[in-house]
């Protein structure tokens, strides 16, 4: 959980920026905070949330992102740019996508809510082979 940023920069025109963060709160807890501003810096909404336990810092940052996504959906906010000061969390989103997981997501309309144990479908098997070529 990083230190607060000093300078705010605007998002692209026509979008709003949602900055979110997690931090230690009180003697035993963790807190989440978010603020939304438009592309001119005009305040739209802010929120905070407290939990009476502490997670690993990266987990807390990820939970604060999930919380921010949930609120944005509840508030029907769109055209948002989400920003975090947690470099480890941001880097995780910029890593290359796993071929199998990506294929399952892209083809989920074919399978709906399915789980495969032990023997994958042939399409998944083909992705598994290309995903780990050394096997």
């Amino acid at each position: 959980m990083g230190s607060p940023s000093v300078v705010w920069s605007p998002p692209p025109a026509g979008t709003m920026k949602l900055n979110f963060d997690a931090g230690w709160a009180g003697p035993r807890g963790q807190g989440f905070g978010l603020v939304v501003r438009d592309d001119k810096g005009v305040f739209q909404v802010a929120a905070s949330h407290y939990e009476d336990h502490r997670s690993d810092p990266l987990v807390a940052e990820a939970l604060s992102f999930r919380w921010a996504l949930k609120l944005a959906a509840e508030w029907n906010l769109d055209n948002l740019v989400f920003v975090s000061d947690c470099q480890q969390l941001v880097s995780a989103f910029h890593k290359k996508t796993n071929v199998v997981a990506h294929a399952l997501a892209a083809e989920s309309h074919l399978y709906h809510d399915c789980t495969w144990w032990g023997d994958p479908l042939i399409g998944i098997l083909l992705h598994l082979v290309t995903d780990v070529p050394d096997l």
Side-chain angles (χ1 to χ4, degrees):
M1 293 180 274
S3 61
S5 176
V6 176
V7 178
W8 181 87
S9 61
T15 65
M16 295 189 293
K17 182 183 273 188
L18 187 154
N19 292 86
F20 65 94
D21 200 8
W24 300 142
R28 297 182 306 275
Q30 64 188 16
F32 308 148
L34 69 79
V35 62
V36 179
R37 297 180 195 144
D38 69 13
D39 57 349
K40 298 191 182 31
V42 176
F43 172 84
Q44 301 296 309
V45 63
S48 67
H49 173 72
Y50 175 77
E51 296 183 348
D52 195 23
H53 68 277
R54 289 187 176 174
S55 301
D56 170 86
L58 179 59
V59 170
E61 293 286 351
L63 290 171
S64 73
F65 183 37
R66 182 178 73 174
W67 170 75
L69 286 168
K70 179 179 175 265
L71 288 181
E74 287 176 8
W75 296 336
N76 294 316
L77 298 178
D78 55 6
N79 296 323
L80 287 174
V81 174
F82 288 84
V83 178
S84 170
D85 66 354
C86 179
Q87 189 59 45
Q88 193 175 3
L89 180 66
V90 172
S91 294
F93 284 103
H94 291 288
K95 288 185 179 178
K96 291 188 177 186
T97 304
N98 175 276
V99 174
V100 179
H102 180 76
L104 288 169
E107 298 167 2
S108 63
H109 65 286
L110 301 173
Y111 311 123
H112 295 274
D113 292 324
C114 292
T115 304
W116 299 274
W117 290 91
D119 295 317
L121 293 174
I122 190 70
I124 297 170
L125 186 58
L126 293 173
H127 291 301
L128 286 167
V129 170
T130 61
D131 193 36
V132 185
D134 295 338
L135 291 180

